[in-house]
Amino acid sequence: LEFLSLKGCGIGDAGLEALAKSAFEGGKCGLKELVLMSNKVTAVGMLSMLLCEGLSLHTVQLLDNELGDDGVINMAITLSEAATSGQVVCQDLVDIDLGKNRLTETGALHLLIAIRDHPSLFPTLKTLGLGAHPDIKGDSTEWVQCVEALEGRAVPLDVVWQVGMGQGSKEETDRIQRETMAELSHNMPQIP
């Protein structure tokens, strides 16, 4: 199984923690894409998944959950501590969508700074989606400098927070949507 959609299942943190322990720990699972849209997941559940050793996900869609600013700030601190202790976090993750999770620029910036300051956090991440957050304007000096630094890392990271903003966001968003749709149709079970 490479693709799993739990969209709208309401698994919450406890369900995600159980999934992380049973499927991801120790690299037991070949799952590459996980859709967790609309599941009431908070940063606690998200961390339980991200910190699993052996996690080999390439794409995580966490659109419309309940991470919140405080949760993302605490998540950024915990991930920074893990990186400082030498842990590589999510070494295979390429795309993550955290859109519509009640974030402001403050919470999002904490996460961006953690990723910028710790190369072992999401080292292969190419796209970080932060859309549907009207309080993220992306125009502060600190935001712009952080995004520019992430675009210049070994694996350039495109931070997409609004269409028409960020490095080629419109084109990048279109590309991701096309690739996601192609992947979804490829992974859909065929009904005879």
Side-chain angles (χ1 to χ4, degrees):
L1 179 68
E2 290 187 358
F3 173 83
L4 178 62
S5 176
L6 297 172
K7 180 180 177 181
C9 291
I11 66 169
D13 291 340
L16 186 53
E17 288 175 33
L19 177 65
K21 286 181 182 173
S22 64
F24 301 132
E25 270 186 6
K28 300 179 224 173
C29 179
L31 192 63
K32 299 298 178 202
E33 183 169 353
L34 181 60
V35 177
L36 294 167
M37 294 165 42
S38 306
N39 270 294
K40 300 181 181 170
V41 172
T42 72
V44 172
M46 178 75 173
L47 270 172
S48 70
M49 181 183 67
L50 294 178
L51 294 175
C52 265
E53 289 187 35
L55 182 69
S56 61
L57 287 171
H58 291 180
T59 303
V60 177
Q61 294 182 24
L62 268 156
L63 188 71
D64 192 25
N65 278 285
E66 299 176 3
L67 299 180
D69 260 2
D70 290 341
V72 169
I73 291 168
N74 289 329
M75 187 171 77
I77 292 167
T78 301
L79 291 172
S80 295
E81 290 169 353
T84 301
S85 72
Q87 184 175 352
V88 177
V89 178
C90 294
Q91 64 186 10
D92 297 320
L93 195 61
V94 176
D95 297 301
I96 188 166
D97 188 349
L98 302 178
K100 201 173 178 189
N101 268 285
R102 300 178 308 132
L103 298 180
T104 68
E105 192 162 319
T106 301
L109 189 57
H110 274 79
L111 181 59
L112 295 179
I113 290 169
I115 296 169
R116 179 198 65 197
D117 292 351
H118 301 283
S120 63
L121 288 180
F122 313 112
T124 58
L125 192 64
K126 292 181 180 179
T127 307
L128 173 60
L130 295 169
H133 294 111
D135 292 332
I136 297 178
K137 304 294 184 216
D139 56 3
S140 71
T141 302
E142 190 172 22
W143 179 277
V144 170
Q145 289 174 344
C146 192
V147 168
E148 286 174 355
L150 291 168
E151 290 170 348
R153 68 185 197 153
V155 174
L157 176 58
D158 188 20
V159 180
V160 181
W161 67 95
Q162 288 181 339
V163 174
M165 302 192 95
Q167 174 191 343
S169 324
K170 175 71 172 121
E171 292 80 14
E172 186 68 9
T173 300
D174 290 344
R175 179 191 66 78
I176 292 167
Q177 287 176 339
R178 282 191 309 275
E179 288 176 3
T180 301
M181 292 308 293
E183 185 70 24
L184 286 172
S185 62
H186 174 73
N187 289 323
M188 296 282 290
Q190 300 299 316
I191 299 172

